[in-house]
Amino acid sequence: MSTAALSPRATTAVLRAEARLFRREPATLFWVVLFPTLLLGILGAIPSFREANDDLDGLRTIDVYVPVVVLLALIMAGIQGMPAVVAGYREHGVLRRMSTTPIPPSALLGAQMGLHGAAALGSALFSLAAGRLVFDVALPRQAFGYGLALLLSVAAALALGTLATALARTTKAANAIGTSVTFPMMFCAGLWLPVQAMPDVLARIVELTPFGAASLALGQAAGGDWPGWSHLGVLTLWTVVLTAASVRWFRWE
């Protein structure tokens, strides 16, 4: 039987195996799926966050933070979760052994990207539902634009995570890179201060980062406007550049 004929079946087998392992990682499931919604609940418990804010064009702070916690799930999945797993496989020779079988190592990377991306999307839906049911946050009024911005945000997060995976040769290095990137990306997403409330100069700088652009695009779509093409363009550009860099530097061994 040819390698070409084996590849789809082998890829499916890898995906099933990785899904079983993924479900057995409670820490990953907590930080990706549950933590963003728990954080939303903590923020929503602050009385002032449930009141209209003139600095946010009359929106409540909790309204603005729903897109932020959606992005937090993407950061935890793409930058913190996936690189450590793949780097661990490289460190322990799993990828090297796979290269001697009909199963391409790329099947494992694709499975990891798919699983972490799906978990991030599930967390996003969970956060949107919690915001609506618990704090009466309106669902995105521009649903199609919100979905497009969310998918581009996921792609950018996974591309950034793949680059971290390419640069890290060990799990320890992956964790160090992930941590050093996570906190700046959280700031750009608006976790400590919503992008809409940042000083003009800082906001313009943050808009050029993937998660700053994502935060604004999701916020615009949530309010009923089509996401700014400049923000979608920034997300697309970052995805392309990060993916190209990952392909250039990624090594299976």
Side-chain angles (χ1 to χ4, degrees):
M1 186 177 293
S2 67
T3 301
L6 283 171
S7 292
R9 187 182 304 171
T11 299
T12 301
V14 170
L15 179 59
R16 289 176 178 172
E18 290 303 308
R20 287 195 296 270
L21 294 173
F22 187 79
R23 292 196 300 270
R24 295 172 185 171
E25 292 292 335
T28 300
L29 293 174
F30 171 78
W31 289 107
V32 175
V33 180
L34 296 179
F35 176 70
T37 302
L38 290 176
L39 179 61
L40 183 66
I42 294 171
L43 295 173
I46 302 173
S48 61
F49 278 30
R50 301 193 302 271
E51 299 174 356
N53 190 329
D54 292 336
D55 293 334
L56 299 174
D57 297 327
L59 293 173
R60 301 175 303 166
T61 303
I62 193 63
D63 296 325
V64 177
Y65 264 106
V66 169
V68 174
V69 297
V70 166
L71 293 178
L72 180 60
L74 273 58
I75 292 172
M76 300 307 295
I79 302 175
Q80 284 284 76
M82 186 180 70
V85 175
V86 180
Y89 286 153
R90 181 190 291 120
E91 182 180 8
H92 294 95
V94 175
L95 299 180
R96 182 176 64 253
R97 291 193 294 272
M98 287 184 66
S99 65
T100 65
T101 71
I103 303 175
S106 57
L108 188 146
L109 180 60
Q112 285 295 324
M113 294 178 69
L115 290 170
H116 282 87
L121 287 173
S123 178
L125 295 176
F126 196 20
S127 296
L128 288 171
R132 176 59 180 169
L133 295 174
V134 180
F135 302 112
D136 198 30
V137 177
L139 293 175
R141 294 185 176 91
Q142 174 50 263
F144 184 77
Y146 196 95
L148 176 60
L150 181 58
L151 290 176
L152 288 176
S153 301
V154 171
L158 293 175
L160 185 55
T162 305
L163 179 59
T165 302
L167 297 175
R169 292 293 177 262
T170 64
T171 303
K172 185 176 180 179
N175 288 330
I177 293 172
T179 300
S180 64
V181 174
T182 292
F183 287 100
M185 292 300 101
M186 285 181 176
F187 175 81
C188 292
L191 183 60
W192 287 280
L193 178 67
V195 180
Q196 296 90 330
M198 291 181 180
D200 289 343
V201 174
L202 179 60
R204 291 194 186 98
I205 296 173
V206 168
E207 286 177 19
L208 299 177
T209 67
F211 289 101
S215 180
L216 290 172
L218 292 176
Q220 290 171 331
D225 298 322
W226 182 260
W229 289 108
S230 61
H231 304 322
L232 298 179
V234 168
L235 283 169
T236 302
L237 180 61
W238 273 107
T239 300
V240 171
V241 171
L242 293 171
T243 300
S246 300
V247 172
R248 172 67 178 81
W249 290 319
F250 195 92
R251 297 292 181 271
W252 294 114
E253 300 183 27

